[in-house]
Amino acid sequence: MKKIILMGRVGCGKTTLTQKLKNLPMDYLKTQYINYHDVIIDTPGEYAETKGLGAALALYSYEADVVGLLISATDDYSLFPPNVTCLVNRDVIGIVTQIDRPDARPERAEAWLRNSGCERIFHISAKKDIGIRELLEYLE
């Protein structure tokens, strides 16, 4: 299985997705530091939201085969600048999370990820088990 690093804002669903992909109990745990789960690297949202810590994400991306940029379908903005994927010499995929929420706007989140340079995008609901199988198949 390919190793993936998950990057995104606080609360976008990185840890929940990690728990779902690893068949772990779905418990809310605030990620305090970079967590390695065999083939999944879960990162704190503060790293993506802070310029100085963002550089650490760039370095950690080299330990993965795939970079997963996450945006919640409920987010009001994107952290990822246009064409940011060209800075990484790894596959970069987009992951739209929380698509099952009533206030979700997955098309907007997908547009932001495409603008960032993601060509492959997965729509995920970890709670309703939507899109998980497709993501796992991609990572195999």
Side-chain angles (χ1 to χ4, degrees):
M1 186 172 197
K2 296 175 190 169
K3 185 182 278 191
I4 185 170
I5 184 169
L6 303 175
M7 301 179 186
R9 288 177 56 184
V10 171
C12 73
K14 297 176 301 296
T15 301
T16 300
L17 179 57
T18 298
Q19 292 170 348
K20 189 67 174 180
L21 292 173
K22 297 297 292 174
N23 288 321
L24 297 171
M26 298 287 282
D27 293 324
Y28 176 76
L29 300 169
K30 173 65 186 107
T31 304
Q32 300 292 323
Y33 49 87
I34 305 280
N35 289 317
Y36 287 81
H37 301 272
D38 297 324
V39 294
I40 302 171
I41 304 171
D42 183 14
T43 64
E46 290 84 0
Y47 279 45
E49 295 175 3
T50 308
K51 184 178 179 182
L53 295 173
L57 288 179
L59 292 174
Y60 277 103
S61 71
Y62 291 101
E63 297 191 26
D65 302 310
V66 177
V67 175
L69 302 181
L70 280 75
I71 296 181
S72 168
T74 64
D75 282 347
D76 294 325
Y77 61 91
S78 171
L79 287 179
F80 307 117
N83 301 314
V84 71
T85 61
C86 68
L87 299 174
V88 180
N89 65 353
R90 303 283 187 270
D91 289 339
V92 181
I93 61 170
I95 302 172
V96 179
T97 60
Q98 303 174 1
I99 63 169
D100 57 320
R101 298 221 352 220
D103 56 341
R105 296 181 62 190
E107 303 82 21
R108 179 176 64 177
E110 180 175 339
W112 288 333
L113 288 166
R114 290 205 184 281
N115 189 45
S116 296
C118 297
E119 294 178 8
R120 184 83 190 257
I121 298 181
F122 297 87
H123 289 247
I124 302 288
S125 168
K127 293 188 178 181
K128 292 192 176 182
D129 211 14
I130 300 170
I132 301 298
R133 184 173 7 110
E134 293 82 2
L135 180 57
L136 284 169
E137 288 172 2
Y138 172 80
L139 293 173
E140 287 185 0

